């Protein structure tokens, strides 16, 4: 039997090439060999305030982009997190089986506290428990994520082991994070030591999948590099150039060494042009599919069918968990 793999994306902004290289592109590959479950983590989005109209647009775009990059609803189960109510319910149960000390250590929350951000919501704090529920409710064996999410998958693993010991031996499948060697962290074009992220202040550091290709080319041409003037893979001393190499390799399905064969003699300007060509070609292909999908009206059908399939699986596990922890009263027919 195929192993089960699950992942979610939280489109609280537009998806960018970091999401594509670190997540989406891998899902497409994995769906051939695994039973793939992918969803849009819309509940996770609202842990920080979202403008309702903008959120709706981002969710639609995210689904359309999932399909545009090649996720196939006949091979993968694709749905919206909030359409499967069981996630939130198991999430609460898991909150009751995790500790303040654990959640205090979760970097996403910890970083925001350290930065002195005000009015953080309780949802942001318990976010990792909901994520653990997303994973455990489907009995996923593997969870492909970028390095930043590894800690959350490990929490899911810890809770699963804890509850298996406490309640029932094989209540939960123990999940493992799956992190790709290349591309699991794409860096900002403007600050190549920090992650390319939709929370980036400026727009120049990241390339959205729906960016105008001309604008994307400009962003690559303006990427921060160094004064060493040699194109080589050296993330320590040349983070900007190394990041561009990873982007070029990932988007053209080649290894960094293969790309280096083409580019190692180039000046930086020429090298950036080479990377920009690859990025633009990729964006054009994705955007053409994206427009076809939006116009086809297929999204509602995919989401409805996906949620039906997912709910069935989720409900079975939730019932079993509720039974194991003593929440359910045996019902008789009379
Ligand atoms: P997020 O955009 O934070 O919801 O992330 C969605 C998925 O994309 C997660 O698996 C992340 O780890 C991955 N991801 C986000 N940003 C990057 C990045 N800069 N490089 C690689 N993967 C990323
Ligand atoms: N927290 C993840 C992120 O920020 C999104 C996510 C939610 C997720 N639930 C998940 C990822 C379950 C993997 C598995 O990207």
């Amino acid at each position: 039997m195929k192993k089960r793999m699950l992942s979610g994306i939280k489109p609280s902004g537009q998806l960018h090439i970091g999401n594509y290289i670190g997540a989406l592109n891998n899902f497409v590959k994995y769906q051939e060999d695994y039973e793939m479950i992918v969803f849009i983590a819309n509940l996770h989005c609202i842990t920080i305030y979202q403008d309702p109209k903008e959120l709706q647009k981002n969710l639609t775009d995210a689904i359309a982009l999932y399909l545009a990059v090649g996720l196939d609803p006949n091979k993968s189960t694709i749905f919206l997190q909030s359409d499967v109510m069981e996630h939130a319910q198991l999430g609460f149960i898991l909150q009751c089986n995790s500790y303040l000390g654990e959640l205090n250590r979760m970097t996403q929350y910890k970083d925001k506290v350290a930065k002195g951000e005000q009015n953080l919501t309780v949802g942001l704090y318990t976010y990792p428990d909901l994520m653990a529920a997303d994973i455990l409710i489907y009995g996923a064996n593997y969870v492909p994520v970028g390095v930043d999410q590894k800690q959350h998958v490990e929490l899911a693993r810890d809770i699963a082991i804890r509850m298996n010991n406490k309640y029932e031996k094989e209540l939960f499948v123990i999940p493992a994070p799956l992190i790709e060697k290349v591309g699991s962290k794409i860096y900002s074009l403007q600050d190549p030591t920090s992650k390319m992220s939709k929370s980036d202040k400026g727009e120049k550091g990241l390339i959205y999948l729906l960016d105008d290709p001309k604008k994307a080319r400009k962003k690559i041409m303006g990427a921060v590099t160094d004064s060493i003037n040699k194109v080589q893979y050296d993330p320590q001393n040349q983070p900007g150039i190394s990041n561009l190499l990873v982007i070029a390799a990932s988007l053209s399905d080649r290894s960094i060494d293969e790309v280096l064969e083409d580019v190692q003699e180039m000046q930086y300007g020429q090298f950036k042009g080479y990377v920009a060509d690859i990025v633009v070609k990729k964006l054009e292909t994705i955007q053409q599919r994206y427009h076809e999908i939006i116009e086809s009206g297929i999204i509602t059908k995919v989401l409805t069918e996906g949620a039906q399939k997912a709910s069935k699986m989720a409900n079975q596990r939730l019932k079993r968990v509720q039974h194991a922890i003593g929440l359910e009263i045996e019902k008789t027919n009379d």
Side-chain angles (χ1 to χ4, degrees):
M1 218 169 74
K2 281 186 182 176
K3 293 268 189 198
R4 192 169 279 180
M5 188 174 276
L6 168 137
S7 202
I9 282 195
K10 174 172 60 70
S12 42
Q14 287 280 317
L15 296 181
H16 52 76
I17 58 167
N19 295 129
Y20 176 74
I21 296 170
L24 286 178
N25 191 31
N26 297 329
F27 302 170
V28 175
K29 285 188 227 146
Y30 295 140
Q31 72 182 346
E32 304 303 327
D33 300 316
Y34 294 88
E35 188 192 334
M36 193 72 198
I37 300 176
V38 279
F39 64 96
I40 303 282
N42 57 350
L43 291 173
H44 280 101
C45 288
I46 60 161
T47 54
I48 291 174
Y49 174 78
Q50 306 290 319
D51 174 78
K53 283 235 162 58
E54 233 170 79
L55 177 59
Q56 226 173 44
K57 161 98 172 81
N58 288 338
L59 297 179
T60 311
D61 280 352
I63 287 284
L65 284 169
Y66 268 32
L67 300 175
V69 301
L71 270 176
D72 178 350
N74 295 314
K75 293 180 185 157
S76 301
T77 305
I78 304 167
F79 64 99
L80 262 186
Q81 185 183 31
S82 64
D83 281 346
V84 181
M85 256 72 96
E86 285 82 354
H87 287 230
Q89 182 143 337
L90 182 64
F92 182 78
I93 294 173
L94 301 190
Q95 284 178 39
C96 300
N97 284 276
S98 54
Y99 297 102
L100 294 177
E102 285 174 319
L103 293 188
N104 289 342
R105 279 198 298 277
M106 297 288 124
T107 46
Q108 218 154 309
Y109 165 79
K110 214 167 89 177
D111 288 353
K112 289 201 164 50
V113 173
K115 278 193 211 148
E117 289 188 29
Q118 298 293 310
N119 300 324
L120 297 178
T121 68
V122 176
L124 182 77
Y125 184 66
T126 58
Y127 172 126
D129 285 322
L130 178 61
M131 178 159 163
D134 299 337
I135 297 168
L136 299 183
I137 207 158
Y138 297 105
N141 304 95
Y142 298 108
V143 185
V145 282
V147 268
D148 59 315
Q149 294 295 319
K150 185 167 173 242
Q151 194 190 30
H152 292 154
V153 182
E154 283 164 355
L155 176 75
R157 193 186 166 83
D158 291 345
I159 298 176
I161 294 172
R162 178 176 306 146
M163 290 183 71
N164 285 359
N165 286 333
K166 204 153 57 165
Y167 298 110
E168 188 184 309
K169 227 169 156 198
E170 286 176 0
L171 189 56
F172 290 123
V173 173
I174 311 299
L178 198 90
I179 297 192
E180 290 278 322
K181 276 193 220 68
V182 174
S184 71
K185 193 162 181 182
I186 300 297
Y187 295 88
S188 160
L189 300 173
Q190 288 301 310
D191 172 10
T193 55
S194 73
K195 192 180 109 166
M196 180 180 285
S197 154
K198 52 209 163 198
S199 48
D200 260 1
K201 295 235 165 44
E203 293 258 305
K204 285 194 193 150
L206 79 173
I207 293 178
Y208 295 110
L209 292 176
L210 295 177
D211 256 352
D212 172 3
K214 279 202 205 90
K215 206 164 138 193
R217 179 178 296 279
K218 268 203 192 129
K219 290 181 184 177
I220 296 282
M221 299 313 288
V224 167
T225 52
D226 53 66
S227 52
I228 296 174
N229 280 326
K230 187 158 172 40
V231 179
Q232 55 194 353
Y233 185 69
D234 180 357
Q236 276 293 316
N237 300 307
Q238 297 180 259
I241 291 292
S242 303
N243 190 38
L244 291 176
L245 276 168
V246 172
I247 292 174
S250 309
L251 295 186
S252 59
D253 280 322
R254 287 177 298 165
S255 66
I256 291 176
D257 282 342
E258 283 169 318
V259 174
L260 274 172
E261 277 174 30
D262 280 359
V263 300
Q264 57 197 353
E265 304 298 331
M266 290 181 182
Q267 298 294 315
Y268 282 0
Q270 195 187 0
F271 170 58
K272 284 178 175 176
Y274 174 96
V275 179
D277 285 345
I278 293 175
V279 171
V280 163
K281 192 162 152 240
K282 193 72 189 181
L283 292 189
E284 284 173 347
T285 313
I286 293 176
Q287 291 175 11
Q288 191 191 343
R289 280 290 294 142
Y290 163 87
H291 289 297
E292 287 165 7
I293 285 158
I294 293 279
E295 275 150 35
S296 74
I298 195 186
I299 292 177
T300 320
K301 181 170 174 276
V302 168
L303 290 182
T304 308
E305 289 178 4
Q308 269 166 7
K309 248 165 87 185
S311 296
K312 226 171 160 183
M313 293 187 253
N315 192 266
Q316 274 177 9
R317 176 92 42 183
L318 179 66
K319 285 277 169 216
R320 189 169 151 198
V321 173
Q322 297 198 152
H323 181 78
I325 64 183
L327 285 178
E328 309 240 317
I329 295 178
E330 299 296 336
K331 297 182 184 77
T332 53
N333 285 330
D334 43 50

